Amino acid sequence: MSTTALPARRAPDSFAILLMVGLCAIWGFQQVAIKSTNSAVPPVFQAGLRSLVASLLVWGWARSRGTPLFRDDGTLSAGLLAGVLFAAEFVCIFLGLTLTSASRMAVFLYTAPCFTALGLHWFVEGERMRRIQWFGIVVAFAGMALAFADGFLHGNVASGSTLKGMAGDALGVLAGIAWAATTVVVRATRLAQSSASKTLFYQLAVSAVVLLALAVGLGQAHVETVTPLAMMSLAYQAVVVAFVSYLVWFWLLTRYIASRLSVFSFLTPLFGVSFGVLLLGESFSLRFLMAAALVLVGIALVNAPARRVAK
């Protein structure tokens, strides 16, 4: 019986690079889409609807491709944990965006690669960090501290209150930690051998249940006003971000070297800050710009590929 070997993963070519830049732009725009809809759809309810619609789309996609989602393969407990962490991430993002700007949220959220590197270092064998990665984490955390200092000294225009703004910034960091914890759970458990569709479905379906239940408990399960902008934003978040972009990302990971793709993650907060300024009229100080630059450099260093030693 003959078997077909999987293609070897290779360095990103021009096609992969263009796709990654597009994905980073999509992810960077997400904060703007959420913030522009918070006044029409309460934040936790908005997050729950996003996960619900996207989970149904992933279920339909898996069914059309014959990918089993409900087979007992020992991933249930890890999948439930990943889904709860995914829900926690988006609670922090959606509530945080009611207190801070989309630009600031983009920077704090995308400290996640640094927390991921720390988590993998501690919990996953063979993921030990190198000296350059430790340096990158120090640089990124210095940038994060400077950004917090800027929020305290310069104030937060989005919230009109320094304390509220700092709370929103802190929620951005907590969202990054929850995102990193989700990644570590996926990598350190049997989910690592599961299909990408099933792993994504766990996160979306469980988070949909958690978020919608929380929205009911908080009295947010309603829509303030139905506007074209709100509907377009929800469609963008559920279809473009949570469904299409994640599937494209997983597809790229099956064909290209993951560490080379991850380097592009520093572009996402760059897009996030740019969209916040251009589309929402957000402003920032020189101190915050320096802080964002430090975070971006730190992310790039954390994701720097290891050098191959010549034999």
Side-chain angles (χ1 to χ4, degrees):
M1 184 175 68
S2 63
T3 58
T4 303
L6 292 175
R9 290 177 176 83
R10 58 189 186 275
D13 50 26
S14 57
F15 175 70
I17 290 171
L18 286 174
L19 274 183
M20 278 305 306
V21 173
L23 289 179
C24 290
I26 288 171
W27 297 333
F29 186 70
Q30 179 178 223
Q31 280 66 245
V32 173
I34 294 169
K35 192 169 184 66
S36 64
T37 313
N38 273 341
S39 60
V41 184
V44 178
F45 189 46
Q46 185 183 163
L49 290 176
R50 169 192 187 273
S51 287
L52 176 62
V53 173
S55 64
L56 292 174
L57 291 172
V58 171
W59 172 79
W61 170 263
R63 184 180 176 87
S64 70
R65 296 176 62 84
T67 304
L69 294 180
F70 303 102
R71 184 173 59 193
D72 183 10
D73 56 1
T75 61
L76 180 60
S77 59
L80 291 175
L81 177 57
V84 170
L85 289 170
F86 190 79
E89 175 193 343
F90 281 92
V91 166
C92 292
I93 292 173
F94 279 75
L95 290 180
L97 281 169
T98 65
L99 301 172
T100 192
S101 67
S103 302
R104 296 181 69 86
M105 176 60 72
V107 171
F108 286 111
L109 172 62
Y110 281 91
T111 56
C114 299
F115 292 115
T116 300
L118 285 172
L120 294 175
H121 175 82
W122 288 326
F123 296 108
V124 178
E125 187 177 353
E127 293 282 357
R128 309 295 291 179
M129 288 199 299
R130 293 168 285 118
R131 192 174 303 171
I132 187 68
Q133 291 176 299
W134 282 112
F135 180 64
I137 285 177
V138 171
V139 171
F141 284 1
M144 188 167 61
L146 183 59
F148 268 111
D150 172 73
F152 181 76
L153 297 172
H154 183 260
N156 195 311
V157 176
S159 65
S161 166
T162 298
L163 291 179
K164 285 184 177 180
M166 292 185 72
D169 294 344
L171 284 170
V173 176
L174 289 175
I177 293 173
W179 180 6
T182 305
T183 303
V184 172
V185 168
V186 171
R187 293 286 300 276
T189 65
R190 295 189 66 172
L191 285 174
Q193 284 76 48
S194 185
S195 68
S197 296
K198 184 165 187 175
T199 301
L200 181 57
F201 183 75
Y202 267 131
Q203 295 175 64
L204 292 170
V206 173
S207 67
V209 173
V210 172
L211 291 167
L212 291 175
L214 185 59
V216 171
L218 294 174
Q220 291 192 11
H222 62 277
V223 177
E224 296 290 343
T225 54
V226 178
T227 64
L229 177 62
M231 295 301 99
M232 289 174 61
S233 172
L234 280 172
Y236 175 80
Q237 295 175 52
V239 180
V240 179
V241 178
F243 176 57
V244 175
S245 76
Y246 291 170
L247 286 178
V248 171
W249 166 247
F250 286 130
W251 178 82
L252 285 169
L253 288 177
T254 64
R255 286 161 173 77
Y256 299 95
I257 301 170
S259 60
R260 301 288 182 89
L261 293 173
S262 297
V263 173
F264 289 92
S265 62
F266 81 93
L267 289 174
T268 305
L270 186 61
F271 278 119
V273 171
S274 300
F275 288 140
V277 172
L278 294 174
L279 300 178
L280 297 179
E282 296 176 350
S283 61
F284 53 84
S285 66
L286 178 60
R287 189 184 297 108
F288 177 71
L289 187 62
M290 293 171 60
L294 286 174
V295 171
L296 297 181
V297 170
I299 293 171
L301 292 174
V302 166
N303 287 309
R307 291 183 179 180
R308 293 186 177 181
V309 179
K311 295 183 179 180

